[in-house]
């Protein structure tokens, strides 16, 4: 078998041109249960849909004969780090379910593309394993849990492993209603029926990777055995979540963490100001990819008002629904310093492992450069709201 043929069989080649193409490949690569976890959202998935449609309400201005192509340099400095693209890989839990190479492969993919991954506190590779598998220092995400001893110990481990930035996710006081996951038996342990076992067995590569490497549990917590016993499952991790969470919890984390700190899951300008007031260096405008409060506003819709109050005091990242380079342009025009992507890199990973992650980032980067050139924009720093036109039908 020639290399080129193997590549096409593995899903590479000219038929894979966009993030949506990777989505189709990923859907075939994993069992329905895992697909429900990756691609699903909360309840009626209104916010999942809103995250996408919000981008359609903005059109791009096109200026012609401007005499300059977009610069090759698409770098930005975010959280004190120079990134080659304004795209960070968002934290995603249980990434080993998409492909057994999990967060280690995603982090390596990120650095091959000149950016960083945020390692989820629900990751299937521990912070030490990811550090050992990579050259660069990646960021670490943590929920404010009820157990400060456990949080303190995880923050120390992340700092020792070299994580320069802590991302504190604040939109999970309880888990969202992930009905699709429950319908397909996605739980810990999974609810297996003969049909679900067959559905997995017809994907022997995925099946073998899962059984051989068993990247299905939260490794940070497993290795935390000395502190609190092995807290293996996501359900047990969910028990750590506190409904009565307050800003004093984030303030406490700020006191413990010496590096940069971003608060993720902000949709309201008043909350953005609170985050800065407790010492955050910036916020991530996010609705958790529509996986938490169904009916929450689209991240892109929330962005302009938040960017306005944060400007000059901190940084603004946004995530939710970014699938094209033109989406990145719109987010930057509306005040984001950079965007994060979640599902797009999971599609790449599920379809083709680490190379798929790199390819998704390559696609987005080239779309971003092409969009800017066609608009007549020279450099990222020139993007501002004057480059957008609001279409009818929006709010
Ligand atoms: C499968 C999956 C798992 C996720 N796990 C986490 C997590 O552990 N921590 C977190 O802060 N956000 C988590 N998120 C949310 C992402 O960080 C991000 O906000 C979201 O995926 C962005 O939307 P997008 O998928 O449309 O790009 C998860 C998202 C997905 C799709």
């Amino acid at each position: 078998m020639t290399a080129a043929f193997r590549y096409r069989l593995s899903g590479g080649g000219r038929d894979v041109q966009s993030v949506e193409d990777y989505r189709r490949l990923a859907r075939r690569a994993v069992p329905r249960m895992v697909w429900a976890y990756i691609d699903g959202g909360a309840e009626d998935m209104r916010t999942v849909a809103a995250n996408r449609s919000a981008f359609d309400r903005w059109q791009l201005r096109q200026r012609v004969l401007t005499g300059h192509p977009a610069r090759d340099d698409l770098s930005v400095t975010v959280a004190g780090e120079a990134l080659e693209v304004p795209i960070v890989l968002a934290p995603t839990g249980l990434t080993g379910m998409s492909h057994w190479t999990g967060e280690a492969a995603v982090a390596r993919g990120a650095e091959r593309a000149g950016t960083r991954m945020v390692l989820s506190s629900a990751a299937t590779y521990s912070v030490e394993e990811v550090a050992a598998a990579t050259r660069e220092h990646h960021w670490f995400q943590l929920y404010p849990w009820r157990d400060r001893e456990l949080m303190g110990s995880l923050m120390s481990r992340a700092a020792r492993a070299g994580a320069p930035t802590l991302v504190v996710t604040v939109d999970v006081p309880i888990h969202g209603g992930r009905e699709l996951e429950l319908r397909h038996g996605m739980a810990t342990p999974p609810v297996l029926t003969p049909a679900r076992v067959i559905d997995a067995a017809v994907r022997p590569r995925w099946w073998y990777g899962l059984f051989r490497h068993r990247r299905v549990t939260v490794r940070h917590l497993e290795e935390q055995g000395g502190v609190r016993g092995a807290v293996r499952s996501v359900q047990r991790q969910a028990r750590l979540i506190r409904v009565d969470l307050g800003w004093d919890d984030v303030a406490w984390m700020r006191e413990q963490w010496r590096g940069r700190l971003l608060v993720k899951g902000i949709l309201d300008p008043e909350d953005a100001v609170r985050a800065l007031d407790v010492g955050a260096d910036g916020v991530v405008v996010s609705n958790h990819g529509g996986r938490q409060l169904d009916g929450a506003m689209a991240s892109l819709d929330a962005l302009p008002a938040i960017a306005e109050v944060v400007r000059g005091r901190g940084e603004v990242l946004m995530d939710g629904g970014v699938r094209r380079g033109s989406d990145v342009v719109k987010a930057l025009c509306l005040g984001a310093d950079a965007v994060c992507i979640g599902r797009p890199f999971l599609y790449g990973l599920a379809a083709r492992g680490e190379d798929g992650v790199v390819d998704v980032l390559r696609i987005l980067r080239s779309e971003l450069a092409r969009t800017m050139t066609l608009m007549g924009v020279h450099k990222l720093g020139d993007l501002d709201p004057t480059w957008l036109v609001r279409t009818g039908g929006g709010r």
Side-chain angles (χ1 to χ4, degrees):
M1 207 189 297
T2 67
F5 188 56
R6 260 203 311 273
Y7 179 63
R8 286 188 73 81
L9 275 184
S10 75
R14 290 216 193 96
D15 47 336
V16 187
Q17 291 290 330
S18 64
V19 169
E20 182 57 30
D21 290 338
Y22 268 107
R23 181 170 183 268
R24 272 192 291 272
L25 288 181
R27 185 178 202 147
R28 291 207 298 265
V30 297
R32 244 166 287 176
M33 180 189 284
V34 176
W35 183 245
Y37 173 64
I38 298 174
D39 209 50
E43 298 175 4
D44 296 313
M45 303 211 280
R46 289 201 179 102
T47 298
V48 174
N51 276 346
R52 284 298 300 136
S53 58
F55 286 98
D56 297 336
R57 285 196 288 276
W58 295 99
Q59 290 176 336
L60 304 168
R61 239 172 99 206
Q62 172 186 286
R63 300 297 313 277
V64 295
L65 305 177
T66 54
H68 37 238
R71 272 195 199 160
D72 279 343
D73 178 9
L74 296 177
S75 64
V76 284
T77 300
V78 187
E81 282 184 80
L83 308 179
E84 286 173 34
V85 279
I87 305 170
V88 173
L89 303 191
T92 56
L94 297 184
T95 303
M97 298 284 282
S98 298
H99 190 279
W100 71 268
T101 52
E103 293 85 1
V106 175
R108 278 194 302 264
E111 59 192 41
R112 278 169 63 191
T115 186
R116 300 287 179 273
M117 174 193 76
V118 186
L119 181 66
S120 164
S121 49
T124 56
Y125 281 71
S126 71
V127 63
E128 292 82 6
E129 286 177 309
V130 170
T134 52
R135 278 177 291 113
E136 305 291 349
H137 296 306
H138 294 269
W139 305 358
F140 188 67
Q141 175 262 319
L142 195 58
Y143 294 104
W145 284 325
R146 79 169 71 241
D147 186 335
R148 284 197 172 172
E149 192 187 340
L150 179 60
M151 285 196 292
S153 142
L154 277 173
M155 281 191 271
S156 312
R157 285 173 57 190
R160 269 200 306 277
T165 295
L166 185 72
V167 175
V168 180
T169 299
V170 293
D171 57 5
V172 188
I174 53 171
H175 272 287
R178 317 263 176 90
E179 293 174 10
L180 202 67
E181 287 178 24
L182 295 174
R183 240 174 255 134
H184 288 282
M186 176 65 197
T188 319
V191 182
L192 292 177
T193 60
R196 286 177 191 147
V197 172
I198 292 168
D199 185 41
V202 295
R203 294 170 176 83
R205 249 200 333 205
W206 180 87
W207 193 232
Y208 176 77
L210 185 86
F211 275 95
R212 170 99 175 72
H213 301 280
R214 294 180 185 275
R215 292 289 172 172
V216 288
T217 53
V218 180
R219 285 295 159 107
H220 311 300
L221 298 183
E222 245 174 64
E223 288 171 17
Q224 203 65 44
V227 178
R228 273 289 177 271
V231 188
R232 292 172 65 96
S233 77
V234 177
Q235 276 150 339
R236 285 193 208 143
Q237 189 183 34
R239 274 183 229 137
L240 293 163
I241 289 172
R242 272 179 52 184
V243 185
D244 61 345
L245 205 70
W247 283 104
D248 52 332
D249 295 287
V250 181
W252 179 82
M253 293 169 86
R254 173 69 286 184
E255 274 166 33
Q256 311 299 310
W257 182 259
R258 295 238 171 81
R260 308 256 174 166
L261 187 146
L262 303 175
V263 177
K264 173 175 182 279
I266 299 290
L267 289 179
D268 193 290
E270 285 181 24
D271 285 340
V273 171
R274 294 293 294 272
L276 298 175
D277 288 346
V278 297
D281 297 292
V283 297
V284 185
V285 179
S286 172
N287 50 36
H288 219 99
R291 300 162 77 82
Q292 284 297 106
L293 173 62
D294 194 32
M297 68 197 294
S299 303
L300 192 76
D301 288 338
L303 173 63
I306 293 175
E308 171 125 15
V309 296
V310 173
R311 189 168 305 127
R313 288 188 66 191
E315 287 178 331
V316 181
L317 286 83
M318 77 76 73
D319 71 26
V322 174
R323 301 291 180 270
R324 286 279 184 191
S326 56
D327 298 338
V328 181
V329 166
K330 290 174 187 177
L332 297 195
C333 285
L334 293 175
D337 294 295
V339 302
C340 305
I341 54 169
R343 295 180 186 87
F345 76 76
L346 292 177
Y347 302 151
L349 181 74
R352 286 181 53 206
E354 181 184 324
D355 287 347
V357 175
V358 177
D359 206 32
V360 161
L361 284 164
R362 178 196 62 75
I363 288 170
L364 289 173
R365 186 200 164 97
S366 75
E367 287 177 354
L368 172 59
R370 185 169 59 236
T371 301
M372 286 170 60
T373 301
L374 289 171
M375 289 169 72
V377 176
H378 184 42
K379 57 184 195 301
L380 286 179
D382 293 341
L383 292 173
D384 65 22
T386 65
W387 283 100
L388 298 183
V389 180
R390 181 123 194 170
T391 58
R395 295 171 327 110

